[in-house]
Amino acid sequence: MNAPTLTDGFHLVTDALRLNGIDTIYGVAGIPITDLARLAQSQGFRYIGFRHEQSAGNAAAIAGYLTQKPGVCLTVSAPGFLNGLVALANATTNCFPMILISGSSDRAIVDLQQGDYEELDQMNAALPYAKAAYRINRPQDIGIGVARAIHAAVSGRPGGVYLDLTAEVLGATLDAAVGKESLIKVVDPAPSQIPAPESIKRALDLLASAQRPLILLGKGAAYAQADKEIRSFVETTGIPFLPMSMAKGLLPDNHHQSAAAARSFAIGQADVVMLVGARLNWLLSHGKGPLWSQTTRFVQVDISPTEIDSNRAIAAPVVGDIKSAMSAFLAMLKPGQIRPNSAWIDAIGERKKVNIERMAARLNADPSPMNFSSALRAVRNALTDKPDVYIVNEGANTLDFGRNIIDMYEPRKRLDSGTWGVMGIGMGYAIGAAVESGKPVVAIEGDSAFGFSGMEIETICRYKLPITTVIFNNNGIYRGDESGNEPSPTGFINGARYDKMIDAFGGKGYHVTDTVSLQKAVKESVEQGISSLINCVIDPTAGTESGHIQSLNPKSGLTNAS
Ligand code: ADP
Ligand code: MG
């Protein structure tokens, strides 16, 4: 009798991922998953090896956001896992589907806390930060574990899922036929969630009764890939819309119905606000305070029923997936049923005009050194005929100004700090976007924000990714002009030459101090599709502490710390 053909945990993991259409893995190799990464690559997976797990995790998360398939991040045990956990938590907070797969040490030793190499109960550590966390303890359970992770990541409100693979299970063998039988190809992992027809009617009735309706689009709407349906609903009803930052481009920023340039006015004056895939969280001051009217009534379209009434009473909740919901709205909408008051449209138009003129004055100034506005104007001008370029944006002032100055014309092209306002997503998101799309990416980074993931420029150069990183260098966090005997808590080395970092890896460095050279550098780098880093020197006094969210920054009245 012949010995049975064997398979092992490593092969079952790659087989299970491939069976489910996952073809890219972001990670950092090491014990016990090095062979898993090698095997995946040898089998035709695209394996992107990073310098830090947090960036690998951020790349996986943004891949999930862009594709609706869970992005996969692979890490070693304990410390590598914890580094990746920050990205997993960020993905969960932002509703991005990803799966963090980490190898783990010997369960028997870990559970008795006998001091194993990289000892940690990773599954339980992940639980509070993940949408779900699973551990696979037997090779015959790998198929089910991967299937459960995929369902959890992409169904309903998407999020981050942790999958724990013990070193033992990876090395364990199994009869190949039994192994093959144990794999599961998931069917319909993100099923449509059709909203109740009465909820659609209730929402349409409320919108029809409104004088001053407003549609607020969030990144859930962008994620849903319901671009046609959303645009059609906005244009058929004529309701003005406002995009949250990552929803920019869902409809082009120069669309005549965009109220973005009259944001506070539109929010404050609207009598009915329709939230589509946007939460009333801190980014919308919880629907409270001076920005909002207390009499505004809300429609909220969201896949998560518990999002409803979380900050303000929602008069017309529509619980379902956005694609199904927008189709249902369009199907039930009667011609002429919704017609915003023309005085409302005119008032927004007036306000936009005033604000755009005011902004133009600031934008057209040419101070030396550059400030945030003039430098962003140069970046914007370099990209006007390139709407398909991805923009990654982080840093306090760099983010606040960037959001307003860089217009977007296509959906899901703007990737930024998101729900947590987190710094450190820059290079990970840029790599994820470039790998998934093959398109050029421009990462507009504060010098501080860049530092959190800066080593990944080696990764960018190694894979020859078309990523242009522009560093707004004002010598510090917020700004770089605080002096003293010691380096200040917010200061960095004056005049640092970040462009020289990329020289070390064979990329192209640019050092620019004026808008003409900046615009030229961005244009050249994007058009040539090279890996580059532009050290963009701006005025050290240009930044504002905490950017636009100073109200969240407590100040001591007792010390001289202010
Ligand atoms: P933003 O920061 O742009 O305002 P948020 O991340 O706060 O957006 O909100 C996104 C919302 O979209 C979340 O409440 C999430 O439940 C919801 N969401 C995500 N995907 C979908 C979908 N396919 N259909 C409906 N709602 C979704
Ligand atoms: Mg700075």
Side-chain angles (χ1 to χ4, degrees):
M1 208 180 94
N2 287 339
T5 318
L6 293 179
T7 186
D8 64 10
F10 292 106
H11 286 81
L12 287 167
V13 172
T14 57
D15 290 349
L17 293 174
R18 197 180 33 239
L19 184 63
N20 286 293
I22 290 167
D23 53 15
T24 305
I25 296 175
Y26 302 91
V28 179
I31 297 171
I33 50 85
T34 309
D35 256 5
L36 185 57
R38 277 200 196 104
L39 176 70
Q41 190 179 52
S42 75
Q43 291 180 339
F45 280 81
R46 188 158 188 200
Y47 179 82
I48 308 290
F50 284 70
R51 306 302 296 264
H52 192 286
E53 292 86 352
Q54 191 176 315
S55 291
N58 284 327
I62 213 65
Y65 170 71
L66 293 173
T67 64
Q68 299 183 325
K69 277 198 309 193
V72 171
C73 174
L74 185 63
T75 83
V76 303
S77 29
F81 154 79
L82 285 172
N83 286 342
L85 190 55
V86 176
L88 189 75
N90 186 57
T92 305
T93 305
N94 282 283
C95 317
F96 299 161
M98 79 171 270
I99 302 174
L100 175 67
I101 302 181
S102 299
S104 60
S105 302
D106 190 314
R107 296 231 25 84
I109 300 176
V110 170
D111 285 353
L112 266 175
Q113 296 161 42
Q114 292 173 305
D116 203 3
Y117 166 75
E118 298 194 343
E119 175 181 291
L120 184 71
D121 178 359
Q122 294 166 197
M123 183 185 74
N124 284 299
L127 262 176
Y129 307 104
K131 189 176 166 195
Y134 305 103
R135 178 155 47 222
I136 301 174
N137 286 298
R138 304 184 302 183
Q140 63 269 36
D141 291 336
I142 287 173
I144 283 178
V146 169
R148 299 210 72 187
I150 293 171
H151 280 287
V154 297
S155 63
R157 172 185 279 180
V161 177
Y162 176 61
L163 191 59
D164 193 275
L165 291 178
T166 63
E168 201 181 358
V169 99
L170 283 169
T173 54
L174 194 66
D175 178 278
V178 174
K180 189 155 189 245
E181 274 295 295
S182 71
L183 299 182
I184 294 176
K185 181 168 168 48
V186 301
V187 177
D188 197 14
S192 305
Q193 292 189 214
I194 316 285
E198 52 280 19
S199 72
I200 299 291
K201 180 172 185 311
R202 193 189 296 120
L204 285 177
D205 287 347
L206 181 57
L207 286 168
S209 75
Q211 301 291 308
R212 300 179 305 281
L214 177 69
I215 294 175
L216 238 158
L217 302 170
K219 61 179 168 309
Y223 173 79
Q225 300 195 13
D227 312 339
K228 273 207 312 279
E229 292 84 349
I230 290 169
R231 184 165 188 156
S232 170
F233 185 77
V234 169
E235 291 181 342
T236 315
T237 60
I239 300 175
F241 71 93
L242 263 182
M244 299 299 288
S245 73
M246 282 179 61
K248 277 163 67 78
L250 205 41
L251 285 92
D253 275 332
N254 60 356
H255 193 285
H256 68 279
Q257 283 172 260
S258 170
R263 184 175 188 271
S264 309
F265 175 80
I267 288 177
Q269 299 294 313
D271 59 353
V272 175
V273 170
M274 179 185 195
L275 300 161
V276 184
R279 286 171 283 188
L280 276 179
N281 56 17
W282 69 278
L283 288 157
L284 286 166
S285 44
H286 305 281
K288 298 175 182 134
L291 184 61
W292 291 90
S293 153
Q294 286 322 292
T295 56
T296 303
R297 296 203 293 159
F298 290 90
V299 173
Q300 183 162 28
V301 186
D302 204 290
I303 203 158
S304 169
T306 55
E307 190 55 39
I308 308 300
D309 294 339
S310 56
N311 285 271
R312 281 271 303 253
I314 303 297
V318 176
V319 175
D321 76 89
I322 287 166
K323 203 173 175 89
S324 303
M326 298 320 287
S327 306
F329 277 122
L330 287 166
M332 203 182 274
L333 184 67
K334 296 191 239 4
Q337 183 186 1
I338 294 175
R339 194 163 285 153
N341 194 317
S342 61
W344 172 232
I345 306 296
D346 294 346
I348 290 178
E350 277 303 305
R351 192 56 72 111
K352 268 170 71 173
K353 207 167 140 246
V354 173
N355 288 347
I356 288 170
E357 276 162 16
R358 201 180 298 155
M359 174 135 151
R362 229 176 301 136
L363 267 182
N364 293 331
D366 226 338
S368 179
M370 289 184 276
N371 60 18
F372 288 98
S373 295
S374 65
L376 280 159
R377 181 195 73 217
V379 176
R380 182 196 68 184
N381 290 351
L383 298 174
T384 36
D385 59 341
K386 302 174 175 54
D388 60 338
V389 169
Y390 284 84
I391 300 291
V392 171
N393 191 194
E394 62 172 339
N397 293 276
T398 309
L399 180 72
D400 291 334
F401 283 93
R403 189 169 50 232
N404 291 332
I405 294 173
I406 308 287
D407 280 343
M408 305 304 299
Y409 303 95
E410 294 183 3
R412 295 171 294 284
K413 288 285 155 82
R414 184 184 159 82
L415 313 170
D416 67 25
S417 300
T419 305
W420 261 352
V422 70
M423 300 299 143
I425 47 84
M427 298 300 99
Y429 279 11
I431 293 170
V435 166
E436 297 295 329
S437 71
K439 294 259 160 64
V441 178
V442 174
I444 308 171
E445 302 272 312
D447 50 349
S448 158
F450 170 73
F452 292 96
S453 65
M455 191 63 205
E456 303 300 344
I457 58 172
E458 189 275 330
T459 311
I460 291 171
C461 292
R462 184 161 22 104
Y463 291 99
K464 302 190 169 42
L465 296 171
I467 297 173
T468 302
T469 301
V470 187
I471 298 183
F472 279 28
N473 188 356
N474 64 354
N475 304 335
I477 302 174
Y478 307 130
R479 50 197 283 167
D481 61 337
E482 231 171 80
S483 58
N485 294 332
E486 304 268 327
S488 90
T490 55
F492 299 146
I493 285 177
N494 280 354
R497 290 290 300 270
Y498 291 98
D499 51 307
K500 296 197 175 181
M501 287 173 68
I502 202 162
D503 282 349
F505 309 116
K508 173 143 191 182
Y510 298 87
H511 175 67
V512 302
T513 56
D514 65 86
T515 52
V516 175
S517 352
L518 173 58
Q519 185 172 330
K520 192 162 160 275
V522 173
K523 187 169 149 48
E524 176 183 291
S525 174
V526 170
E527 285 176 358
Q528 295 180 0
I530 55 175
S531 312
S532 80
L533 194 156
I534 304 174
N535 183 48
C536 169
V537 178
I538 60 167
D539 188 346
T541 69
T544 308
E545 178 151 334
S546 308
H548 288 186
I549 48 175
Q550 289 157 59
S551 60
L552 302 180
N553 190 24
K555 283 289 184 184
S556 169
L558 298 179
T559 68
N560 59 1
S562 66

